[in-house]
Amino acid sequence: MVLKILLLLVFILSGCDSYRQERYYLVDVGGERYRIPQGYFWAFDSRKGGVVKGANLHALYPGFQKKTKLNSEIFDRPGWAGGRLVSFIIKDKDRYHGVEKIIENMLSEKNLKRHDNLVAGLTEYETPTGRYNYYFGRWKNGVPVYFRCSRKTQLSIYPSCSTVINSTSKTVLSVSFSRARLGEWESLCGGLVAKLAEFHQKEVNGTRLD
């Protein structure tokens, strides 16, 4: 009985330690604030108090888990953590003029060659050098989407895709992930936006942000 009580106390105390060690940082972008657990950060430009600027974030797809002691080995695997790693940055939408403007500039400036095939509902294009593929399509609600994907070469054995997607009315997400996940772009990007919404702060010191 005494042994069971001691083991129970150890379990409770260790749980309290884990709780105390859970840190959150504030990210202010485009007039919006996010309160994000420390495990989602892999780099940032600066930190003053609990507020972080230039936050680089990452998570494991499909559940968008943060990095912990239990799953750190997965994060460290080569090849985008075996295809599961998603890297993202929250950015001010005003500085990017929205996704629509980005796509317009790409189609007018990149001299892209269009292919006939579709990939997960996306129209495929190729750059003149053949180093990158571009994919353009639309969400189910009609909002345009694009992806810029590197191709596998001797210098790039783990090709990736990147995009900018609308997050809120004031922010966008710059997202990168393994090219092997391109066929899952809707659940990956949509799920990431939904996960980030969990950290969005509606009020700061009693003042509404929206």
Side-chain angles (χ1 to χ4, degrees):
M1 176 63 71
V2 175
L3 179 59
K4 289 183 178 179
I5 293 175
L6 289 174
L7 290 174
L8 179 61
L9 286 173
V10 170
F11 176 79
I12 293 174
L13 290 174
S14 64
C16 290
D17 288 340
S18 297
Y19 178 78
R20 285 197 297 268
Q21 290 172 2
E22 180 70 80
R23 295 183 179 179
Y24 290 80
Y25 294 125
L26 299 177
V27 178
D28 294 336
V29 181
E32 296 191 335
R33 170 166 286 185
Y34 298 85
R35 183 173 180 266
I36 304 176
Q38 182 182 19
Y40 284 101
F41 292 83
W42 65 268
F44 48 79
D45 293 340
S46 64
R47 186 184 74 197
K48 185 176 182 180
V51 179
V52 171
K53 292 186 177 181
N56 290 266
L57 308 162
H58 60 182
L60 289 181
Y61 180 76
F64 301 102
Q65 298 95 344
K66 64 185 177 182
K67 188 174 185 178
T68 67
K69 289 183 179 180
L70 295 177
N71 65 15
S72 61
E73 180 272 331
I74 300 176
F75 275 86
D76 296 336
R77 291 176 186 173
W80 291 87
R84 295 187 58 190
L85 187 67
V86 180
S87 177
F88 56 103
I89 304 173
I90 311 169
K91 296 185 176 182
D92 189 336
K93 189 173 185 178
D94 287 342
R95 296 186 178 185
Y96 286 83
H97 309 292
V99 175
E100 295 83 355
K101 187 63 176 179
I102 295 175
I103 293 176
E104 179 184 330
N105 291 339
M106 285 182 172
L107 289 174
S108 62
E109 298 175 2
K110 296 295 183 180
N111 192 25
L112 301 175
K113 178 183 178 182
R114 178 171 177 169
H115 293 178
D116 293 333
N117 55 305
L118 293 176
V119 178
L122 304 169
T123 303
E124 184 180 54
Y125 290 76
E126 185 177 339
T127 58
T129 62
R131 185 177 178 183
Y132 295 98
N133 288 116
Y134 283 79
Y135 299 88
F136 300 94
R138 292 185 179 274
W139 294 88
K140 292 179 181 179
N141 61 4
V143 174
V145 66
Y146 81 93
F147 297 93
R148 175 182 182 267
C149 300
S150 60
R151 304 181 71 176
K152 187 174 182 179
T153 65
Q154 291 181 341
L155 297 178
S156 177
I157 60 175
Y158 301 119
S160 62
C161 293
S162 61
T163 185
V164 172
I165 56 177
N166 294 320
S167 177
T168 69
S169 61
K170 298 179 180 179
T171 60
V172 295
L173 286 179
S174 176
V175 186
S176 298
F177 55 91
S178 169
R179 180 167 179 158
R181 295 289 186 180
L182 180 61
E184 303 169 65
W185 68 268
E186 288 187 273
S187 62
L188 190 153
C189 294
L192 184 59
V193 170
K195 170 55 72 173
L196 195 64
E198 297 177 12
F199 308 135
H200 187 229
Q201 302 292 288
K202 293 295 184 181
E203 295 184 1
V204 177
N205 297 327
T207 301
R208 290 192 64 82
L209 296 174
D210 51 4

